[in-house]
Amino acid sequence: MPINYIYPDYEIIRNPDRCITCRVCERQCANQVHEYIADVDKLSCDDSKCVNCHRCVSLCPTRALKIKRSESTYKENSNWSVKTINELYRQAGSGGVLLSSMGNPENYPIYFDKILLNASQVTNPSIDPLREPMETKVFLGTKPKQIDRNENGSIINNLPPLLRLTMPVMFSAMSYGSISYNAHESLARAAAELGIMYNTGEGGLHEDFIKYGKNTIVQVASGRFGVNPEYLNSGAAIEIKMGQGAKPGIGGHLPGTKIVGDISRTRMIPEHSDAISPAPHHDIYSIEDLRQLVYSLKEATRYQKPVIVKIAAVHNISAIASGIARSGADIIAIDGYRGGTGAAPTRIRDNVGIPIELALASVDERLRQEGIRNNVSIIVGGSIRSSADIVRAIALGADCVYIGTAALLALGCHLCRSCHGGKCNWGIATQEANLVKRLNPEIGYKRLVNLMLAWRHEIKEMMGGMGINSIESLKGNRLMLRGVGLNEKELEILGIKHAGE
Amino acid sequence: MQREGQIRIPSGCAISGIINKSGKRMSGEAIIKSIAVMHDRSNGLGGGFAAYGIYPEYKDYYALHIFYDSPYAKKECEEFIERHFDIINLSKIPTRKIKEITDEPLIWRYFVIPLHTKLYESQLEERDFTEKCVFRINTRIDGAYVFSSGKNMGVFKAVGFPEDVGRFYRLDEYEGFSFTAHGRYPTNTPGWWGGAHPFALLDYSVVHNGEISSYDANRRAIEMYGYKCTLQTDTEVITYIIDYLNRKKKLTFNEIASVIAAPFWQTIERMPNEEKELHEYLRIVFAEQLITGPFSIIVAFDGGLMALNDRLKLRSMVVGEKDDTTYIASEEAAIRIIEPDLDTVWSPKGGEPVIIRVTGGEAKCR
C-alpha cells in the first residue's frame, strides 16, 4: 500500500566492526526493532518500529549503535512540515484522533529562558551557603485571618492544616497505571527521604504505599477512581484535579488492557474495563459546585488536610484562580501548557493552554490586587526543568513547584514521548512485568534524591548570590528578575523589568 | 534624573539614636554631634532627624510636616487638609540660612485633628483616617509631600550632610526625650528632599543602614494591605511593615523583631516547646514580613525605640548606656563623643532587639 507509506523518522546505525552479536539490543527492545538473523549471524533492524528511546544505545556493550534522524525527506516546504504531512497521512489512513505523550514539544516561546537572575555586588554582600544557614523550608496552605491571644496575652496557635516541605518542590500527579509500580515506589520513597510530597494522580493509592502517607498527596479526579474515606485520610493533602496542562478541557482514558491486577484493585474498577475520566467533574459545573466538593472533602477528613485545586493554565486563568481562592481551597496548583501526560490528543496538547510563566505572574498579581493572595498557596508545574526555573518561578510569585517530566528523566526516561504505547523500555510508563522490573526502585529513589539535593544546593547558591538567606524572601521578589528579548507587553504581564533597566 | 519612587536607589548610611528612659527632655544638640562624627558614612546627599516629645503644647494634635515644590501645590494641599482636618496651628518650619543647604522647598508645619464629621463618615479610627489622608496627599497631590505625621514628634530632613541639616532646622532649639539621626550614602540620587531619611508614618519613624535583599517581596506583600510604596526605599517598606505588625496586627516589639529578623529554623528547633511553637507560628504567618540582607535599624515610636540588626548582623551597630540614657549608633565613636564615660557598651547580636521604653515625662507607655 504505497499510499500509506511513511518513511521512518529515525535510522539505526550499527557499526559492524563493533557489533559482537550479543543480542542485548534484541532482548531489550520491547518494540521489536532488532532481530537476529541466524543464517548470517548478524543483527538486522526495522527502523520503522523505533521510537528513539535509546535503550539499545545505552545498553550496547561495544557502543556499536547510534540513532540518527533519517535524512529522507519530502520536497522542502516551510508551510507543510514533514511532521504535518505525516500526521495527515496517518489520519487519512485511520480516521482517528492523533495521540501523543509528554509535554508540548512545539516551538513556542519559553519565557523561563528569557528571564535572568540578579546577584549582589558591593552595596550588599552575597551569602555563602556553605558558611551560613540558607533556608529552603516552605509551608503550603492558607494563613490565619487574625491573631488570637489568650488571657495572658500569648498568641494562640490557630494555624490551619499545612503542607510542610524541606524545599519548594514536589513530584506532580502521575497515576499508578500511567506509570509503573516501581516508578511509584521510587517517587514515594524519595519524597519520604527528602521531606517533600509525591502525588498519587487519579489512579488511587496502592496498599503497599499507604505507609508513605505523610509524604503523599491523594488526588480526586473526575473519574473518582480509588477514592474512599481511608484513601482521603491516608495522605497529607487532597488534590482536586480540575485540569491538566497537557490537555485542558479533556478527561482521561486508561485503556482496559492496562486495567489488570493491582491496578484494577487500586482503581476500584473491574479488570479490563476502560477507566474513563470525564472531561468535567459531573458534580462541578461552576465555581459554587467546586466549593461544595472542597468542603465535602474537608468534612470527610475532619478539616485535618489542606485541599489543593489543580487547574490547567488557560486564557482566563487569573479570574479562575481568584474564584478558587475564595472557594475554601488552601492551595492552587497551576499546570502550564508544557506539562506532561501519559497520553493526550496531539492537537489538544500542542495547541491549547498558555505558558506557565505568564499564568503564574498574572495569577499572583491578581490575587494580590484583590488582597487574597494569603488565602492560598500557589504551586506551578509544566514545565520546570532545572533549579534555575524553580528560582524564577518562586521570584515570580509561586510558593512551590511540581516536577513530573524532570523526575521521570531522573528515573531513566529518555523523552521518546511514546508513553501511550505502553511499551516503555525503561520500565516507567508500562505495566508489562518484564519491562517494569527494569526500573529498580532502590536505584530509582536514590537518583531522585540526588537530583533534588543537587537542585536544593543550586537554589541555595543562587539565593546566596542575591543576598537572600530564606526562600520566603525570594517569593514574589520580582526585582530579582530581568527579561531579555521580551516586548513591553510580555514584561508588563511578567511584572519584571528588562535587563539594563 | 528620576526621583525616589520612580527608580530604586540603594544606599549605605550612618544611624544614631538617643533616648532618656525617664522621659527627661534634652536639646537636639547631642544627636547632631553624634551623627557628625560619622561624616564619612554619608556623602552629602541626605540627612535627617526624628525627635520625640518636642511639641508638648500640641501633644494631642497630629503634626504634619510638609514639603511643597510650589505655591500651587501648597494651595491644593491646604485645601485638602482643610476639608479633612481642623487646623489648630500652621507655620513655616523655622530654618537657618546656611551655605551648605540650598534649593530648599517650601517647608510647612500644621497641627491638626480629623474633622468629626469626616471621621464619622469614613468609619475609620482616627489614626487610620490620618494615615489614609497622608497617603492621599503623597500619591495624588503633585508637588506636596508629607514627611512627618505623628503626635508630639517631628521629622526634619534635607539633602546635605546630617550635621548641616541639623543646623539648618535649628534642631538645637528643640527639646525631646528621644532623637534618631540618619546620614545617607545613596549610590545615585537627584537630591530630592523627600528621599532623605528618617522615614515616618504617624508616630513610627525608622532610620536604617543597609540594603535589604527581600525588598520586592516585602513591598508586594505590604501593598496588599493598602500601603503604597511611593519612594521605593528600604526604609519606607520597613516603616510600613512595622506599622502593619504593631498597629494593625497588635504584635509586641519583641514579636516584631522575631518576624522581621526571624531566628533560623535550626535555632527554633533547639528552643523549648512553647517558644518553638510561637516562633514557628510567627515565621509561617508573617513569612512575607521577614527581611533579609544587611540592615541595622532604629525604630522610634510613641513611648520608646527599638534597635535591631539583620539576623546575620551584616551591619555594625553598637549600644551604650549611661544612667537612664541609652545611646545607639553605627559606630561606638558616635556614642563616645557625647558620652565618653559609659556604664556599659555592647554590640547586640544579629536579630536580637534592644527595646527601650520611656516610663515617665511626657511620653505615654503602651
Side-chain angles (χ1 to χ4, degrees):
Chain A
M1 281 288 281
I3 196 172
N4 256 356
Y5 184 70
I6 292 171
Y7 194 86
D9 289 339
Y10 308 103
E11 200 174 323
I12 299 166
I13 315 243
R14 182 187 308 273
N15 182 337
D17 295 339
R18 288 189 177 179
C19 180
I20 52 170
T21 55
C22 67
R23 299 172 68 178
V24 162
C25 48
E26 187 189 23
R27 285 192 299 278
Q28 288 292 327
C29 184
N31 301 307
Q32 296 174 313
V33 168
H34 303 277
E35 190 188 354
Y36 179 66
I37 316 285
D39 292 352
V40 289
D41 185 30
K42 272 189 179 166
L43 281 143
S44 92
C45 47
D46 179 355
D47 299 317
S48 69
K49 294 177 183 164
C50 177
V51 296
N52 196 5
C53 76
H54 272 236
R55 181 76 184 178
C56 60
V57 173
S58 307
L59 270 78
C60 176
T62 58
R63 287 202 296 281
L65 291 170
K66 64 178 173 186
I67 298 173
K68 280 180 66 179
R69 169 173 290 285
S70 60
E71 280 162 11
S72 174
T73 181
Y74 303 117
K75 187 173 273 189
E76 272 180 35
N77 188 321
S78 299
N79 189 32
W80 288 90
S81 70
V82 174
K83 179 172 175 276
T84 311
I85 296 171
N86 285 346
E87 284 174 349
L88 189 149
Y89 285 158
R90 281 201 184 92
Q91 291 192 287
S94 70
V97 167
L98 294 165
L99 273 189
S100 289
S101 330
M102 303 307 281
N104 183 341
E106 297 301 316
N107 186 27
Y108 294 103
I110 301 168
Y111 287 95
F112 279 139
D113 291 345
K114 296 180 177 185
I115 299 175
L116 295 172
L117 305 173
N118 192 26
S120 308
Q121 295 289 293
V122 184
T123 54
N124 72 357
S126 43
I127 304 168
D128 182 351
L130 296 175
R131 287 165 182 270
E132 305 285 350
M134 187 64 65
E135 303 181 315
T136 57
K137 220 172 178 179
V138 290
F139 299 81
L140 305 182
T142 185
K143 299 226 173 122
K145 300 275 175 296
Q146 82 285 332
I147 306 298
D148 299 326
R149 289 179 189 269
N150 64 17
E151 61 280 9
N152 309 323
S154 315
I155 291 177
I156 298 168
N157 185 347
N158 58 355
L159 284 177
L162 297 167
L163 277 183
R164 290 156 189 261
L165 310 171
T166 54
M167 62 187 290
V169 186
M170 301 193 287
F171 301 131
S172 59
M174 289 175 278
S175 71
Y176 175 44
S178 77
I179 58 171
S180 65
Y181 179 96
N182 286 356
H184 252 224
E185 182 180 334
S186 305
L187 291 166
R189 284 173 66 182
E193 172 131 342
L194 290 161
I196 60 171
M197 304 287 153
Y198 87 108
N199 188 315
T200 61
E202 56 180 315
L205 177 61
H206 193 287
E207 57 200 3
D208 294 354
F209 302 145
I210 293 175
K211 62 181 174 209
Y212 301 113
K214 276 204 325 256
N215 299 92
T216 306
I217 293 169
V218 294
Q219 203 180 56
V220 174
S222 61
R224 304 285 154 87
F225 301 122
V227 176
N228 61 51
E230 192 200 350
Y231 170 76
L232 295 175
N233 281 291
S234 300
I238 301 168
E239 179 170 275
I240 301 173
K241 179 196 176 185
M242 296 304 302
Q244 183 176 342
K247 41 181 171 177
I250 294 284
H253 179 178
L254 193 65
T257 49
K258 291 189 182 177
I259 311 290
V260 288
D262 278 358
I263 294 177
S264 122
R265 205 166 63 247
T266 308
R267 292 205 174 207
M268 299 163 71
I269 53 171
E271 286 202 320
H272 308 298
S273 61
D274 285 5
I276 296 184
S277 304
H281 286 246
H282 282 305
D283 52 359
I284 303 178
Y285 282 10
S286 182
I287 188 77
E288 63 273 20
D289 300 336
L290 174 68
R291 188 182 174 83
Q292 301 221 1
L293 181 60
V294 168
Y295 280 98
S296 304
L297 294 172
K298 288 192 171 189
E299 288 285 340
T301 51
R302 295 186 178 75
Y303 294 84
Q304 297 299 306
K305 318 273 181 192
V307 171
I308 306 167
V309 174
K310 177 178 176 177
I311 45 173
V314 290
H315 299 182
N316 205 15
I317 187 72
S318 45
I320 297 163
S322 160
I324 295 171
R326 298 172 206 272
S327 72
D330 302 277
I331 301 164
I332 302 178
I334 312 168
D335 198 12
Y337 79 142
R338 294 270 187 194
T341 176
T346 308
R347 294 292 169 253
I348 304 285
R349 185 196 66 174
D350 294 353
N351 296 286
V352 181
I354 62 169
I356 190 60
E357 302 91 325
L358 303 180
L360 164 61
S362 72
V363 167
D364 177 66
E365 186 56 31
R366 175 72 168 264
L367 297 187
R368 283 171 193 270
Q369 281 167 4
E370 295 184 16
I372 54 174
R373 178 64 183 82
N374 285 335
N375 283 13
V376 285
S377 292
I378 297 177
I379 310 170
V380 296
S383 102
I384 302 292
R385 303 156 302 166
S386 69
S387 55
D389 284 353
I390 298 175
V391 171
R392 292 181 181 108
I394 304 282
L396 281 175
D399 290 88
C400 180
V401 305
Y402 263 147
I403 58 165
T405 302
L408 296 188
L409 288 175
L411 292 177
C413 167
H414 278 58
L415 261 182
C416 72
R417 313 200 301 259
S418 313
C419 319
H420 54 290
K423 289 192 179 301
C424 175
N425 275 320
W426 295 94
I428 301 167
T430 180
Q431 301 307 325
E432 290 182 19
N434 62 325
L435 297 176
V436 171
K437 74 179 181 199
R438 291 179 181 180
L439 173 59
N440 180 346
E442 190 65 36
I443 296 170
Y445 105 87
K446 279 188 189 144
R447 288 177 60 83
L448 286 166
V449 170
N450 283 344
L451 179 72
M452 288 302 96
L453 294 183
W455 283 14
R456 181 157 76 185
H457 190 76
E458 289 174 338
I459 292 170
K460 290 177 175 186
E461 291 279 6
M462 285 180 266
M463 278 166 53
M466 298 176 201
I468 290 174
N469 58 9
S470 192
I471 195 96
E472 54 259 53
S473 293
L474 178 64
K475 187 179 109 182
N477 198 335
R478 296 189 184 175
L479 266 185
M480 292 296 167
L481 304 175
R482 287 290 188 277
V484 272
L486 295 175
N487 65 36
E488 287 276 349
K489 193 70 190 176
E490 291 166 323
L491 293 168
E492 179 197 318
I493 295 166
L494 289 166
I496 62 174
K497 293 184 172 177
H498 201 275
E501 269 189 287
Chain B
M1 257 167 79
Q2 290 174 306
R3 273 184 174 186
E4 281 87 346
Q6 293 157 326
I7 188 173
R8 188 167 144 73
I9 300 167
S11 56
C13 307
I15 60 174
S16 180
I18 309 173
I19 183 164
N20 185 288
K21 278 185 241 183
S22 326
K24 207 161 69 200
R25 293 166 72 206
M26 57 199 138
S27 113
E29 204 158 346
I31 193 79
I32 299 177
K33 253 173 102 178
S34 168
I35 197 81
V37 171
M38 299 185 284
H39 182 87
D40 282 357
R41 298 182 72 100
S42 330
N43 64 1
L45 291 175
F49 301 83
Y52 287 74
I54 52 171
Y55 298 135
E57 62 275 33
Y58 293 110
K59 65 180 165 36
D60 296 326
Y61 302 96
Y62 294 94
L64 305 181
H65 292 191
I66 308 182
F67 291 138
Y68 295 119
D69 286 350
S70 67
Y72 308 104
K74 176 168 177 283
K75 184 162 171 284
E76 193 185 344
C77 185
E78 284 183 348
E79 280 169 12
F80 177 86
I81 296 173
E82 269 175 46
R83 277 201 306 277
H84 295 83
F85 296 91
D86 217 349
I87 302 175
I88 305 305
N89 191 337
L90 82 171
S91 65
K92 266 188 175 169
I93 293 184
T95 55
R96 197 181 266 141
K97 276 275 171 208
I98 57 172
K99 68 175 187 335
E100 290 85 358
I101 304 285
T102 53
D103 294 331
E104 70 257 41
L106 304 169
I107 312 169
W108 283 72
R109 171 166 61 202
Y110 305 82
F111 292 99
V112 302
I113 191 91
L115 286 174
H116 281 303
T117 48
K118 282 279 180 185
L119 191 59
Y120 179 77
E121 270 174 33
S122 71
Q123 303 190 7
L124 293 172
E125 282 180 51
E126 190 188 283
R127 303 215 302 168
D128 291 331
F129 177 88
T130 308
E131 176 204 330
K132 266 220 153 79
C133 290
V134 170
F135 278 122
R136 272 281 280 282
I137 295 171
N138 290 351
T139 53
R140 302 261 183 90
I141 302 179
D142 201 28
Y145 185 72
V146 182
F147 62 99
S148 183
S149 52
K151 285 182 179 175
N152 200 11
M153 61 80 71
V155 168
F156 304 89
K157 60 187 182 182
V159 171
F161 283 99
E163 57 272 26
D164 300 329
V165 175
R167 283 195 301 133
F168 171 80
Y169 278 109
R170 309 162 79 138
L171 203 67
D172 43 309
E173 294 169 16
Y174 290 85
E175 287 204 325
F177 61 84
S178 117
F179 290 91
T180 61
H182 187 263
R184 192 167 182 224
Y185 200 131
T187 48
N188 64 69
T189 180
W192 178 46
W193 287 42
H197 298 152
F199 186 83
L201 179 66
L202 301 176
D203 57 88
Y204 301 94
S205 71
V206 174
V207 288
H208 154 253
N209 170 20
E211 185 191 333
I212 61 177
S213 52
S214 54
Y215 175 77
D216 214 32
N218 299 140
R219 175 189 68 83
R220 297 184 68 229
I222 206 73
E223 288 198 338
M224 211 161 69
Y225 308 117
Y227 296 87
K228 287 183 192 69
C229 295
T230 52
L231 297 186
Q232 298 189 32
T233 63
D234 293 347
T235 316
E236 177 188 44
V237 80
I238 293 171
T239 307
Y240 295 161
I241 286 174
I242 285 163
D243 178 67
Y244 171 72
L245 295 175
N246 183 242
R247 190 164 61 90
K248 300 205 171 152
K249 289 288 158 180
K250 310 272 183 259
L251 295 194
T252 66
F253 277 93
N254 272 312
E255 289 163 350
I256 290 173
S258 300
V259 167
I260 64 181
F264 288 102
W265 287 114
Q266 60 192 55
T267 313
I268 293 176
E269 284 304 314
R270 292 196 296 266
M271 290 176 175
N273 273 344
E274 210 168 300
E275 210 184 328
K276 185 170 153 183
E277 193 182 354
L278 171 71
H279 281 92
E280 191 180 275
Y281 181 91
L282 291 173
R283 279 204 70 171
I284 292 172
V285 177
F286 298 108
E288 290 159 324
Q289 279 75 44
L290 172 72
I291 299 174
T292 59
F295 68 83
S296 59
I297 56 172
I298 305 174
V299 181
F301 49 91
D302 181 19
L305 54 79
M306 171 173 78
L308 183 68
N309 260 137
D310 65 272
R311 51 206 203 135
L312 287 178
K313 195 162 175 91
L314 296 171
R315 283 288 184 272
S316 55
M317 190 175 72
V318 183
V319 179
E321 281 180 336
K322 171 73 178 175
D323 302 327
D324 56 359
T325 305
T326 305
Y327 305 86
I328 302 152
S330 300
E331 295 177 16
E332 191 175 331
I335 299 176
R336 296 277 181 196
I337 188 81
I338 44 177
E339 184 48 74
D341 182 27
L342 291 166
D343 297 337
T344 53
V345 57
W346 78 98
S347 256
K349 282 193 207 145
E352 186 185 276
V354 175
I355 300 168
I356 316 291
R357 287 179 181 283
V358 174
T359 49
E362 291 292 341
K364 297 185 293 287
C365 188
R366 258 188 290 130

